[in-house]
Amino acid sequence: MDNITHSLVGALIGQAGLKRKTGLAMPALIVGANLPDVDAACFLWLDGVEHLGFRRGITHGPIAWVLLPLVLAGLLYAFDRWQAKRGTRPEGRLPVRFGWLYALAFIGCLTHPALDWLNVYGIRLLEPFSSQWFYGDTLFIIDVWLWALLGFATWFSLRRERRGGEWRRPARIAIAVALGYIGLNGAISASHGWHSASPLSDSAKTISSPLPVLSFARDELSGKVNDWHYLDGSAEAWVPIVPDEMRCAWPDTVLLRRSNRDLDAFLFWSRAPFAERAPDGSVLIRDARFYHPRARDRFSVALPDVRCESLPVSVRAEEAGRS
C-alpha cells in the first residue's frame, strides 16, 4: 500500500491507546509502519526496472521485522537522552521506555507487510528464506475509502483528546471497521475467483484485480505466460489482452536473462508476462496486471535487438476457440 495508508494505520493504533505506553510512542508507530520501505533507496543504485526484482523483499521479510524496529527504537531512545542532556526535552513527554519503544516499532513494522500483501503487486514475505511472491488481490494499492476512514478517525480521536473526551474508542471502532472493509473485499475477490474461473486451459491462473475508487469492482485476468485474457463483462467472454496483430511469440528468455539485468528482474517480479510488438517491430515484455496507459512505461522491458515474430495461425485459432 501507499505510505499515507501505512502512516495512518500507525497513527490510529497509537490513538487506540498504545501511545500512552511510553514517550515517543507515536514516532515509533508511524515511522515503524513505514520502515520496510527503506528499500526504496535502491533507486539510487539500480537502473531501469531492476527495482522491481528488489523491492518488497528483504526489508519486508522476517529478519527485517526484528532488526528494523530495533534500530528505530535505539535511535528514538538516543534522541530522547540527547534532548535531556541539552535541556530541550519537552516537559510533557512521558518517560521513554526502550522495551515499549521496541514493541511499538515492531507492531508498526508488522502492519506494513500485512497491508502490502493485500494488492496484486505482490510481496516476498519469507525473504531471505524463500523468494516466493504472495498476493492478496484484496485492495488497490491506493484505496481512497481507506484513506477517508483512517484519516477521519485519526482527526476525530485527536480532536476529542484535545477537548478532554474519550479519544480511544473512535480509533478502536475505526480499526474494527477497516478490518471489516478489508475482509469484505477479500471475500469479493475470492468470490470472483470461484465464479469466473477461466475456461482457457487447466494451467491458466486467474487474477481478480481490485479497481481504484470502485473498490468493490474487479478486473478479471486469466492465462499463463504470453497468453493472457481479460473478462469482458458486456460480452461475457474472455478476450486477449492485446489484439493478434500486436502479439509476439515468446522469445528465448532463458538466454536473454543472462545478459539483460532488466529482463531478469522483470521476469522475477512478473506475475502475468506477455510479449507485445513495439512500434519499430521489436519486442516489449509487459505484465497484464498493469497493462494500461499510465503504467505501461513503468512496468515493461524493451528488447530492441529481438524482432517480433507473429504467433502461428494455429495458436491464434486455438485461443479464439477457447474464448
Side-chain angles (χ1 to χ4, degrees):
M1 304 293 288
D2 64 284
N3 292 104
I4 293 177
T5 302
H6 289 304
S7 299
L8 287 173
V9 167
L12 201 58
I13 291 174
Q15 288 303 120
L18 286 182
K19 74 175 187 179
R20 304 303 299 171
K21 298 298 183 181
T22 177
L24 297 178
M26 287 297 268
L29 284 164
I30 296 172
V31 178
N34 287 280
L35 266 182
D37 275 346
V38 296
D39 62 0
C42 72
F43 287 103
L44 297 176
W45 72 83
L46 294 180
D47 297 322
V49 299
E50 289 183 76
H51 63 92
L52 293 175
F54 181 82
R55 296 210 63 195
R56 294 205 181 187
I58 187 67
T59 63
H60 290 61
I63 292 178
W65 304 343
V66 176
L67 294 183
L68 289 177
L70 187 62
V71 172
L72 175 60
L75 290 174
L76 291 174
Y77 189 81
F79 175 72
D80 182 71
R81 299 281 78 78
W82 177 73
Q83 282 192 315
K85 287 181 180 179
R86 295 183 67 226
T88 57
R89 187 182 191 277
E91 293 183 5
R93 179 184 294 164
L94 294 173
V96 173
R97 298 181 175 87
F98 182 82
W100 269 112
L101 271 184
Y102 177 64
L104 297 181
F106 180 71
I107 291 170
C109 188
L110 284 183
T111 67
H112 191 107
L115 288 170
D116 278 359
W117 170 77
L118 293 174
N119 46 65
V120 300
Y121 186 100
I123 181 174
R124 304 195 304 279
L125 283 171
L126 303 179
E127 195 77 66
F129 306 109
S130 169
S131 294
Q132 178 182 351
W133 289 88
F134 294 87
Y135 311 94
D137 296 348
T138 298
L139 297 180
F140 188 68
I141 199 167
I142 297 176
D143 191 300
V144 295
W145 306 113
L146 205 55
W147 275 5
L149 171 62
L150 300 178
F152 175 79
T154 301
W155 169 80
F156 189 71
S157 175
L158 287 168
R159 181 170 176 269
R160 274 203 170 184
E161 184 180 11
R162 287 194 298 269
R163 297 184 175 187
E166 169 51 58
W167 49 274
R168 297 172 180 84
R169 192 163 181 266
R172 293 171 182 174
I173 291 174
I175 290 173
V177 172
L179 290 174
Y181 173 76
I182 291 170
L184 176 59
N185 270 280
I188 290 172
S189 290
S191 175
H192 276 257
W194 295 330
H195 293 100
S196 61
S198 170
L200 301 177
S201 73
D202 294 336
S203 59
K205 301 176 183 177
T206 299
I207 301 171
S208 292
S209 182
L211 301 181
V213 184
L214 302 174
S215 57
F216 294 150
R218 297 292 183 270
D219 273 340
E220 300 297 323
L221 298 171
S222 185
K224 55 186 178 181
V225 174
N226 209 35
D227 182 16
W228 286 92
H229 295 64
Y230 70 92
L231 183 61
D232 185 338
S234 59
E236 297 185 353
W238 290 94
V239 181
I241 196 76
V242 291
D244 286 345
E245 62 271 17
M246 295 297 294
R247 300 178 67 191
C248 301
W250 190 249
D252 183 2
T253 55
V254 174
L255 181 61
L256 290 169
R257 290 178 74 165
R258 296 174 186 171
S259 58
N260 190 324
R261 294 171 60 181
D262 274 345
L263 179 63
D264 186 54
F266 185 89
L267 292 180
F268 170 66
W269 162 82
S270 183
R271 186 181 180 189
F274 66 93
E276 182 184 39
R277 181 186 297 275
D280 63 359
S282 63
V283 173
L284 286 171
I285 303 296
R286 302 194 187 278
D287 190 290
R289 293 172 296 172
F290 302 101
Y291 189 67
H292 51 81
R294 293 184 180 178
R296 285 181 187 175
D297 292 337
R298 294 172 53 211
F299 300 104
S300 67
V301 174
L303 303 178
D305 298 327
V306 180
R307 305 311 297 170
C308 177
E309 297 181 10
S310 299
L311 289 173
V313 175
S314 59
V315 173
R316 296 200 300 269
E318 179 186 350
E319 292 172 359
R322 289 200 304 259
S323 299

